[in-house]
Amino acid sequence: MRLDDVGVSGSTPSAKVLVVSIDDGLFGVHLDWVEGVFDAGAIATHLIRVAGGRGRPFLLGQHQPAPLVDVRELLGLVELLGSARRPGQLLLRCADGAVALPIDACLGIRALVLDRRAPVPTRVLRDGGLPLGHLSELDGRPLTVLDPNRLLDADLRAALAPLWTKARALHERLRRVSALWEELRREATAERVRAYARLCSRTGQGRTAGAARRLLGYMEAADRAGGAASAPAECGGDALDALLRELVERERTRASGALVVEAADGAQGAIVLSDGRVVGATCGGAEGRAAFSRLLSAVPIGAHFTAHPEGRAARTGDSAIALAIAALAALPDAAAH
């Protein structure tokens, strides 16, 4: 959500806090510590494990990993109340880096007037006898304003230390996967596809890793053949293999034209290439990436390539090999083999 600023008039001492509900209580965090509020699942969550130990969910956002820590756990109420699934997540900065709190609802930004009633330290203490936060009042209800730097006590911090190390390593690998994907979209070399498959395998993206290795096999086979043209994608043998080999070859030779595909279900479409890169696709009423994926998931009974008479065009659009990797990874198991 977007955290819109709230104007506060006059010189009355006040503090702007983001207010959320968790179970039956109201909790607030000063805006300086808030990274954002998200629907559960909006940020990639991974279960980080250590050898012989339990796993813990970590949010892996753009900047750094953040462990998910429920307020029930912070208050020592998990054994009494059990765990809960919540629809939202509050991402906070703290001295340890970042932490995420599952929440039931976000109630918006409020300005607390501090000279009416002084906040009272909570009786829940952390290292050095410091309170977890302060109790205040909002609309006649008690409000606990949390201090993100005191959320984790020494025991929880020690338990998280090895998991945090693994989470940061995974976060860095995912960052490298994302950066390498952008390079693949520009130009899919065998070296890049090989590195991408290896990184995807190490980050739990098995289907994507398998799709990348499959395309890498076609690229390496073409290299061994000295760049000889592949066989047309005709009925017989593995039709999807033939179609993928055709795409690899047309990208390698930087061809411009249309690869027209006819499927067994009667659908017909075309993948339009400009200097070896995909600049368009059509299949039935679908266009673009959706059409490209449909053509790969269909059972082709024939395909032929028609070169543009004007020859090569500017190298715009995405790599055909990169698009094929993404499309294959998204196919059902039965269609991908």
Side-chain angles (χ1 to χ4, degrees), residues 12-30:
T12 303
S14 63
K16 283 182 277 187
V17 298
L18 180 70
V19 180
V20 300
S21 66
I22 303 174
D23 290 329
D24 295 328
L26 294 182
F27 295 85
V29 181
H30 196 281

Side-chain angles (χ1 to χ4, degrees), residues 46-50 54-61 63-69 74 91-101 148-173:
H46 290 261
L47 192 66
I48 310 297
R49 299 181 184 274
V50 293
R54 290 179 54 195
R56 175 176 287 274
F58 270 76
L59 295 186
L60 296 181
H63 301 294
Q64 57 187 329
L68 274 166
V69 184
L74 297 175
L91 184 60
L92 306 172
R93 293 191 305 276
C94 64
D96 297 290
V99 67
L101 300 181
N149 294 311
R150 300 174 189 169
L151 290 179
L152 309 181
D153 60 15
D155 291 339
L156 185 52
R157 193 177 291 109
L160 286 173
L163 298 172
W164 228 312
T165 299
K166 293 189 67 174
R168 289 189 176 109
L170 177 58
H171 187 267
E172 174 59 21
R173 287 197 295 272

